[in-house]
Amino acid sequence: MNASHSEHIEQLADLFGLLGDQTRLQIVLTCLDEPITVTDIAKKLNLSTSLISHHLRLLRAARVVSGERQGKQIFCTVNDHHIRTMVSNLLEHIAEPHDD
């Protein structure tokens, strides 16, 4: 395994670790379909805006979500089609019937 491949594996593991937190995953799911304000995310998830902001900083640093300021509001959305597709596909996967 070359160094570049190893670095990508580490970054991917970090991304899955980041999304492994239920609060951050709920935030991503809330931002999946359309831009939404930090305040509205907090209301939907019944959490404080400061906690949402903390998690959003981590998600923005990992390029999972982005924020766009419009006046005093910041609208958050899933950053690109890669993240949107990955999360959507994983949701479909867990919703499929399976034999246990």
Side-chain angles (χ1 to χ4, degrees):
M1 182 180 323
N2 64 34
S4 175
H5 185 70
S6 179
E7 182 178 313
H8 288 140
I9 296 294
E10 184 177 334
Q11 290 173 349
L12 188 57
D14 288 345
L15 178 60
F16 278 115
L18 188 71
L19 294 174
D21 178 270
Q22 281 189 341
T23 301
R24 287 191 289 268
L25 187 55
Q26 286 178 311
I27 291 169
V28 170
L29 292 172
T30 303
C31 298
L32 200 59
D33 295 325
E34 61 185 0
I36 184 170
T37 67
V38 175
T39 303
D40 288 340
I41 295 169
K43 285 179 185 174
K44 275 189 167 192
L45 301 181
N46 199 27
L47 298 168
S48 70
T49 55
S50 61
L51 180 61
I52 297 299
S53 294
H54 166 73
H55 286 294
L56 284 170
R57 275 192 294 280
L58 298 172
L59 291 167
R60 280 194 300 268
R63 301 177 321 164
V64 174
V65 299
S66 59
E68 182 179 320
R69 183 174 292 280
Q70 294 179 11
K72 292 184 178 186
Q73 300 277 345
I74 297 176
F75 286 81
C76 301
T77 189
V78 171
N79 211 27
D80 64 26
H81 74 280
H82 299 109
I83 298 296
R84 185 173 281 107
T85 300
M86 176 188 70
V87 172
S88 296
N89 285 343
L90 289 172
L91 281 171
E92 285 179 27
H93 173 72
I94 62 169
E96 289 177 345
H98 53 85
D99 298 325
D100 281 352

